[in-house]
Every structure is written in C-alpha cells, then in structure tokens.
Amino acid sequence: MNIRKLTLFAALALVATAGIARDDQIWLKGGVEAQPFKSMEGSSLAPVQFKLEEELKYDNSRLIDEETLFQIGYKFSPYFSGFVGDRYVRERKSGKGKMRVENRPTMDLVLSAPEFWTLKLDARTRFELRQKAGSSDYVRYRERLRLRTSWSVTDFKISPYFTEEFFFSDKNGQKKSDAFDRTRTQFGISFKPIPSIKDLSASTYFMVQHDISHHPDKADPTNVFGFEISYKF
C-alpha cells in the first residue's frame, strides 16, 4: 500500500472522530444486501432485493437505541425501486430507564435521477407505522434527499456525499401544524475499506438532528458521529 494513500486514509479517520464531545451521540450500522436472482436475466425474479441492517446508537457511552431492519424490495427500473419491511426497535429515552420495544413496519419508495456530470441525486420516501409499547400507534412520513458523486480518489474510492431528511408525524390529538417534527442534515465520506473487496463499502459522517417542539425556533439539536459498513452479494 502506498504510504501517501495510508496517510490520507488515517487523516480522514482522524477528522471523522475528532471533536466528539461527551454529549454527542455515536451511531454504528452494519448491513448486507442481496439480489439472489440477479443471474436469471429476463426473469421477473431478477430485480428482487433483500436488505438486513443492524444499528446501534450511543449517548454518553451508553446504548440508547438498537434497531434491526429487514426489507424485501423490487427494482422496477434503474431509476425506481420499492421496499417493504419491518424494523424491530429497543430504545431508552435520554439514556435512562429500561429499553422500550417498538415494532415498526416500513415502506420505501426510491427515485433516482440520471447521473449528471459526476453527480447522482436520489429521493427516498419512507412510511413507518410506529407501534410503541404503551403508546398509541401513528404513521410517520420521512423524505430524504441524497446527493453523491461518482468522483473518487485513491484505491479506497473516497467520495463525499450530502443528505437532508425531513420527518412528519401524524400523532393522535396532534395539530396538523405540528406534524413537521424533525430534520437531519448529514455530511459524509464513503469509501472502500478493503479495495480488493469491491462489494464491501463503508462511510463515516457527521450529522445534526433537530427535534422540533411546536415551533422551528425551538428546535433541539443533537450532534451525531456515525460509521456504516455494508456488503452486497
């Protein structure tokens, strides 16, 4: 491995972890994706996809959230795909108390625009049925815009990306004007941790999450440092 490439990779890792304060959160995610019938060219099963994700969230070095998501999807075209699945969640509020269990059925619709220059834009619309233990069920709608680029540097394929996500919750007894309750702004770097394994990818990011309480000027920010790794079959 070229020493210059190793130095650059180490510098990126240092930037990703520098400045993590005690009150900041750390999110870790691992996942696998499979398209088992891809070799059956022309078959209606060829576009079928499976996803499995496991995510851990820490606050003050204490596990506050553990989520397992399983999805089945279908790629209708290079620019449109849909997924249905279920997320099993265990979480505790503010890092205190017992873990609360939630079952969260999901549906995703993903639209991708043709690549322009080196830029790739996609929009994911997600519907979630929140089923928290001890609370009334409600539907949450999430809209995420992601901008990536096919441009990259070194054998690690280091490349920047940006996402912006908006949350709307339809809770019982809540005013419609209060449905918009969260935003997430994320800046990240994707890369190949082991260049010789082309289907293994990872990313590290910094995200600011704003939880909105009735009025945008009362948004409560949370800083998040995250790391994700995934493998495609």
Side-chain angles (χ1 to χ4, degrees), residues 191-224:
F191 57 94
K192 297 289 185 182
I194 305 176
S196 60
I197 305 179
K198 66 177 183 178
D199 293 323
L200 180 67
S201 61
S203 66
T204 183
Y205 64 85
F206 170 71
M207 182 178 74
V208 179
Q209 174 176 285
H210 284 94
D211 289 299
I212 301 169
S213 177
H214 304 298
H215 299 286
D217 59 349
K218 295 183 180 180
D220 183 21
T222 300
N223 294 331
V224 176

Side-chain angles (χ1 to χ4, degrees), residues 143-162:
E143 187 67 39
R144 187 198 71 186
L145 297 175
R146 180 175 59 177
L147 182 64
R148 298 176 291 164
T149 175
S150 58
W151 172 86
S152 62
V153 295
T154 82
D155 292 340
F156 292 103
K157 303 296 182 182
I158 299 169
S159 183
Y161 68 89
F162 168 80

